[in-house]
Amino acid sequence: MTVFEAKESVVRSYCRSFPVTFNRAKGSFLYSESGNQYIDFLAGAGSLNYGHNNDAIKQKIKDYIDSDNIIHGLDLHTSAKAEFIQTFDELILKPRDLQYKLQFCGPTGTNAVEAAIKIARKTTGRRNVFAFMGAYHGMTLGALALTGNKYHRDPSFPVSDTTFMPYPHGFMKSFDTLAYMEAVLSDPSSGVDLPAAVIVETVQAEGGVVVAPVEWLQGLRKLCDKFGIYLIIDDIQVGCYRSGDFFSFERANIKPDMVVLSKSLGGYGLPVSLLCLTEELDKNWLPGEHNGTFRGNQLAFVAATAALKFADDNNLSSLVKSNERLIAEYIDTQISVLNPQLAVRGIGMIWALDCSAFAEETTSAILNICFANGLIVERAGRNDTAIKIMPPLTTESSVLMQGLDILRDAIKVVIG
Ligand code: PMP
């Protein structure tokens, strides 16, 4: 029995499928204690967009520590925070003509989701929120109420009012959710309370990489405007260039009222979460109404600033867009041809190969072979049937191809 087996609670689920101890990581590779190398197609569930131990970011963190600057700043003004705000404004907000106030929540993505819901409810005086079936917004009782997955939600009785709507191309594929929402909202006797907010991922990531169409996102923005509902985009997993643009909603050319970011925002796998909100909403907070001790991790600010500059210097957006073409073409020519029942979905550098048409054990059989051959890849989706391809965005094309080859060969063995 290993020390992990003896001591660690079984709520830890991901790592159980990888029965080794990892002790080093660089770029797109993880290494086990016994010296084996693994290509990383999990990337900390989207927290490592810039790769493991990215040299440019690491140097800034080291310099900061060496200078004995503030490590824990709570909500004091600090140079690290100021530099982040300025960089975020100059590189991200201004070029996109977005005028948001920045609220550091923390340290998890879930916490920013809860802040967004709280201020929407406070501002409108409405309790209800619309979320989507298959959505993932976090694990605490409020955010869990918005997470459209019975396995996660129901056992612990989440504490917010939510009305779930079908997500396009997800549950009930051809259902016209926007028409349904409009009908429900227009009918005073529908029994559905007018919501304070609609919260949506433009790509349901944990939900199995389900990509919302651009026109649907635009329609959702219009619907929210028509009924005076705040639109919250959860970009925690697919923000920070994962979809090709810094914000995933850029492809629809819409402006949400609030955006939540976390995961790769921290640049180096360091915890930080951010709520971007309009001034109109922000002014409704009273001092201390949403606080917490570990808001504003200064090392995360330093890493986040360095990551934004790294992405800008290296034109990460166009790299992701060219990798998107490589992945799509590879899947089309090398994987889809193996079995037409394998469903393929994706955008940027987040893709799914969904085995829902096959026997229950198909996905795990494929993942096990991948691991044995040096590829770390995880699963997602309603029934955990989707193989989720999510490498660091900095992955070199030769490594990307190597990882996809391992995946293709495993698929060939199981369902080819
Ligand atoms: N929203 C989305 C879209 C996510 O993918 C996640 C994490 N998987 C969360 C919220 C919650 O973030 P955290 O785990 O940092 O609380």
Side-chain angles (χ1 to χ4, degrees), residues 108-110 136-138 201 206 234 236-237 263:
T108 62
T110 305
Y136 187 98
H137 297 295
E201 299 157 274
E206 298 302 330
D234 181 342
I236 288 170
Q237 187 156 159
K263 292 199 188 257

Side-chain angles (χ1 to χ4, degrees), residues 5-329:
E5 282 162 342
K7 292 285 181 198
E8 195 176 22
S9 153
V10 289
V11 290
R12 199 181 75 127
S13 54
Y14 272 156
C15 317
R16 292 284 174 208
S17 34
F18 305 124
V20 294
T21 302
F22 298 97
N23 69 351
R24 198 164 73 82
K26 189 72 191 164
S28 304
F29 296 102
L30 284 152
Y31 298 88
S32 71
E33 237 168 23
S34 47
N36 288 334
Q37 174 180 279
Y38 297 88
I39 296 173
D40 184 3
F41 271 15
L42 170 60
S47 307
L48 292 160
N49 284 5
Y50 311 105
H52 293 269
N53 292 302
N54 178 303
D55 285 327
I57 306 173
K58 178 163 65 176
Q59 192 55 50
K60 295 289 179 193
I61 296 171
K62 280 169 130 179
D63 292 347
Y64 186 82
I65 291 175
D66 284 344
S67 72
D68 282 339
N69 207 318
I70 311 293
I71 294 294
H72 184 264
L74 205 60
D75 45 6
L76 301 175
H77 295 304
T78 62
S79 57
K81 192 202 279 186
E83 212 192 322
F84 172 78
I85 291 172
Q86 192 178 338
T87 309
F88 193 77
D89 194 44
E90 275 168 15
L91 295 183
I92 306 298
L93 296 181
K94 277 210 185 99
R96 293 163 179 80
D97 195 26
L98 293 167
Q99 281 90 28
Y100 290 126
K101 288 276 190 181
L102 305 182
Q103 178 181 347
F104 300 106
C105 305
T108 62
T110 305
N111 193 277
V113 168
E114 300 238 343
I117 299 302
K118 280 167 70 176
I119 197 63
R121 293 173 90 183
K122 183 179 184 204
T123 303
T124 57
R126 302 176 206 145
R127 293 180 67 98
N128 197 17
V129 176
F130 282 4
F132 293 92
M133 294 166 186
Y136 187 98
H137 297 295
M139 284 282 129
T140 57
L141 287 173
L144 191 58
L146 312 162
T147 292
N149 178 316
K150 258 182 101 57
Y151 171 82
H152 288 309
R153 276 165 49 82
D154 286 5
S156 44
F157 309 107
V159 294
S160 178
D161 298 19
T162 308
T163 307
F164 284 105
M165 297 288 166
Y167 191 77
H169 304 322
F171 180 63
M172 296 176 73
K173 284 192 171 36
S174 55
F175 188 82
D176 188 343
T177 305
L178 294 182
Y180 176 71
M181 281 165 69
E182 175 141 28
V184 161
L185 292 168
S186 307
D187 179 359
S189 28
S190 69
V192 175
D193 290 337
L194 183 65
V198 173
I199 183 163
V200 66
E201 299 157 274
T202 74
V203 181
Q204 283 191 342
E206 298 302 330
V209 191
V210 190
V211 185
V214 159
E215 313 76 54
W216 186 84
L217 292 166
Q218 291 165 343
L220 189 63
R221 174 68 277 184
K222 284 201 191 106
L223 196 72
C224 287
D225 286 341
K226 180 169 172 187
F227 291 94
I229 302 165
Y230 289 114
L231 177 63
I232 307 167
I233 301 274
D234 181 342
D235 248 357
I236 288 170
Q237 187 156 159
V238 297
C240 300
Y241 300 103
R242 177 60 60 186
S243 74
D245 299 311
F246 181 83
F247 291 115
S248 72
F249 54 83
E250 287 178 55
R251 71 181 194 278
N253 201 20
I254 55 169
K255 288 185 181 172
D257 301 297
M258 287 187 265
V259 187
V260 282
L261 290 167
S262 186
K263 292 199 188 257
S264 279
L265 185 68
Y268 203 72
L270 291 170
V272 65
S273 79
L274 175 65
L275 167 62
C276 304
L277 73 175
T278 59
E279 188 150 12
E280 168 198 286
L281 281 157
D282 184 62
K283 70 176 175 356
N284 292 320
W285 284 123
L286 292 177
E289 244 182 351
H290 187 82
N291 62 22
T293 306
F294 285 104
R295 278 178 307 145
N297 177 316
Q298 306 296 303
L299 285 184
F301 284 140
V302 172
T305 304
L308 293 176
K309 289 181 179 165
F310 170 85
D312 195 56
D313 292 346
N314 291 281
N315 202 351
L316 202 60
S317 178
S318 56
L319 186 71
V320 173
K321 286 174 185 172
S322 74
N323 278 337
E324 172 184 71
R325 289 189 288 275
L326 283 183
I327 298 170
E329 192 187 313

